[in-house]
Amino acid sequence: FYKGGLHLHDLREGNDMGRIELSIYTPRYVPTGNEVAVIETSKGTVRVPLFGLETPVTVGNFVELAAKGFYDNLKFHARKEGSVVVGGCPVTRSMGPAQVLAAVKGMIRGMHPGTGDARYTIIDEWENNPKNVHRLGSLCMAHKSPANSGSCQFYFSLGEQPEYDDQYTVFGQAVEGIDVIERLAIGDAIKGIVIEGADEEALAAAIAQETPRPPTPQEALAAIEAERAERAAAKAAAEE
């Protein structure tokens, strides 16, 4: 998703080389179709009915993260006029508005808003979704170039963008707070996200369980060494 040379999830995305591949997660919470996200930002409140029946994985993931407080105090880290405003990167959690803006401009070494994730990815759901239409106020899942690489970062569409309807999952449409969305800027905070209409008992059970994590560098190296040893043993046995 390039617009003016910028990749959506990648408006401040780092190079993927050397990154540990993340596992694909299937949320344990199954949406009822009645979920509504009430997103409180530093510019005001946005109310978004979610497309739980059409995009159950994306909505289930978003609902679980919101219920865990994952999005609390994260900042919007990218904006492309007439296109998108992006948030949901955990790298921004401890950063103030001015720090986010400075980091986006490359002025803070080692801080790269837009590169964070939830330590897993989810599948894309734009295909066969009759509601997958980008318009002003659409809530969409950001991701990198490869398929099924979305995780936690999301964006609001700032207008009609049909060229992206077959590339990015649209999982909600704002019905209140459109004016807030239009005013959101880099550094503005997500104070919190409350999910209305969820099955509270099922959601509590879902978030009580651990989500997957990628292997540590040590575990990854150990796995590589074990595979090498196994291949060497197989080769030696074949040569006997």
Side-chain angles (χ1 to χ4, degrees), residues 1 15 22 34-35 44 57 62 81 93 105 109-111 115 128 141 160 168-169 178 196 198-199 235 240:
F1 180 108
N15 193 315
L22 302 178
N34 299 319
E35 292 83 3
V57 171
F62 186 80
E81 290 302 327
R93 189 179 308 281
K105 293 180 178 180
R109 186 173 181 178
M111 300 292 282
T115 59
N128 300 318
M141 179 57 62
E160 295 184 4
Y168 293 85
T169 303
I178 294 293
E196 298 179 350
D199 182 331
K235 183 179 179 181
E240 288 182 354

Side-chain angles (χ1 to χ4, degrees), residues 118-221:
R119 306 186 75 186
Y120 59 78
T121 63
I122 59 172
I123 62 170
D124 299 326
E125 293 183 294
W126 53 263
E127 204 167 13
N128 300 318
N129 172 15
K131 295 184 177 180
N132 211 77
V133 179
H134 283 71
R135 53 171 61 98
L136 177 59
S138 294
L139 179 62
C140 317
M141 179 57 62
H143 63 73
K144 303 171 195 166
S145 299
N148 306 321
S149 59
S151 181
C152 57
Q153 294 187 42
F154 64 88
Y155 65 94
F156 285 112
S157 178
L158 299 178
E160 295 184 4
Q161 302 182 89
E163 63 270 33
Y164 305 123
D165 293 346
D166 62 352
Q167 299 182 55
Y168 293 85
T169 303
V170 178
F171 65 100
Q173 177 63 44
V175 294
E176 297 177 19
I178 294 293
D179 61 319
V180 174
I181 292 172
E182 293 182 306
R183 290 186 287 111
L184 286 172
I186 293 174
D188 285 337
I190 302 168
K191 293 183 176 180
I193 300 178
V194 174
I195 304 297
E196 298 179 350
D199 182 331
E200 296 297 336
E201 185 175 342
L203 181 55
I207 65 175
Q209 302 182 55
E210 289 188 6
T211 51
R213 67 169 181 81
T216 64
Q218 292 78 9
E219 290 170 339
L221 288 172

